[in-house]
Structure formats: structure tokens, C-alpha cells
Amino acid sequence: MIALKTVIALKKAALWISGAVLLLAFDLLGRTLVGSLSLPVPGPVLGMLLLLLALMLYGRVPRGLALVGEQILRLLVLIFLPATVGIYFLRDLAGGDWLALIAAMIIGTLISLTLTALLLARLIRRSSGAQAPSGEHHES
């Protein structure tokens, strides 16, 4: 019984490591392309776009990448913490800068919420279509 649990834990660890390696590989690829082509985009952003393109071509999210993604989403609050602390150091901005900063935050949040809602609706539609018995297709 212990050997079976060990094997399952090792398989899960191998999946997680493969997902982390995949993330790091696309990050490195993005950084390398930006550096070699002198693109005006941050390397990690290009890496994320390349990963998105690869996932769209692959048609699904690999299990290891999904495991790593779940862990990252759980720690997302910690990722935003430095940005929140950074706001403290912006207290000397002029009045016009604050207006632009607040407008950027509101517009960025609205765009993020809209894209998240559209993505969720598409995933729900795809999931309900995949679970429907043969011959039936749910449209919502």
C-alpha cells in the first residue's frame, strides 16, 4: 500500500515538474526572442503569448501544466502584494498622474473581467458540449 502511494506521489511530482519546465521553457523562449530580435515587448509576455498559441494548437492544457497553474492561482495574492506595496511609494505623484493611474486601473480591471467572463462562458459551453450524449449538443 505504501509503495502504491509512493508511486502515485512520484507520478504527480513528475507531472508537476513537467508543467513547471514547460512554463519556464516558454518564459525562456520569450526572453530569448525579445533579446535577439530587440522586440519592444517584455520577454515573459511574449513567452505567455507563445504558450497560449501552443495550447490552442494542442487543443487542451496538459495535466502537469494544469497542476502548476492551480498552484500559481492559489498564490496569486502574493504576486500582487509587491504592486500593492509599490502604490505606497507613488504618493508624491501630481494630481494628473493619479487620475491617469486610477483610469488605467479601472479600465484594466474592466478589460480583465470582460475577457475572463468571455473565456469562462466559452469554456462552459465547450464543457457542456463535450459532456452531452452523442447526437445532442447543448447551446447556451
Side-chain angles (χ1 to χ4, degrees):
M1 189 65 166
I2 292 175
L4 180 63
K5 287 184 178 179
T6 303
V7 169
I8 291 172
L10 286 175
K11 282 185 176 180
K12 190 172 182 178
L15 280 173
W16 195 92
I17 289 171
S18 69
V21 167
L22 191 63
L23 274 179
L24 290 175
F26 275 96
D27 178 56
L28 184 62
L29 178 64
R31 290 175 192 262
T32 302
L33 286 174
V34 165
S36 61
L37 300 174
S38 300
L39 297 174
V41 179
V45 172
L46 183 61
M48 291 278 287
L49 290 174
L50 291 173
L51 177 61
L52 175 66
L53 180 66
L55 291 176
M56 290 172 66
L57 292 174
Y58 188 62
R60 64 182 181 88
V61 177
R63 195 165 164 212
L65 186 60
L67 285 173
V68 173
E70 287 175 13
Q71 295 293 320
I72 290 174
L73 286 177
R74 287 185 187 147
L75 301 173
L76 200 58
V77 172
L78 294 177
I79 293 172
F80 287 122
L81 188 60
T84 306
V85 171
I87 293 292
Y88 172 77
F89 294 105
L90 297 175
R91 64 181 175 223
D92 295 332
L93 289 177
D97 295 336
W98 277 107
L99 186 62
L101 183 64
I102 290 172
M105 287 190 312
I106 290 172
I107 291 170
T109 301
L110 290 175
I111 289 172
S112 297
L113 288 175
T114 302
L115 290 177
T116 302
L118 290 172
L119 177 64
L120 181 62
R122 184 174 178 163
L123 290 175
I124 288 173
R125 196 172 33 242
R126 180 185 286 182
S127 176
S128 65
Q131 293 176 353
S134 63
E136 291 183 25
H137 183 72
H138 293 281
E139 292 289 331
S140 54

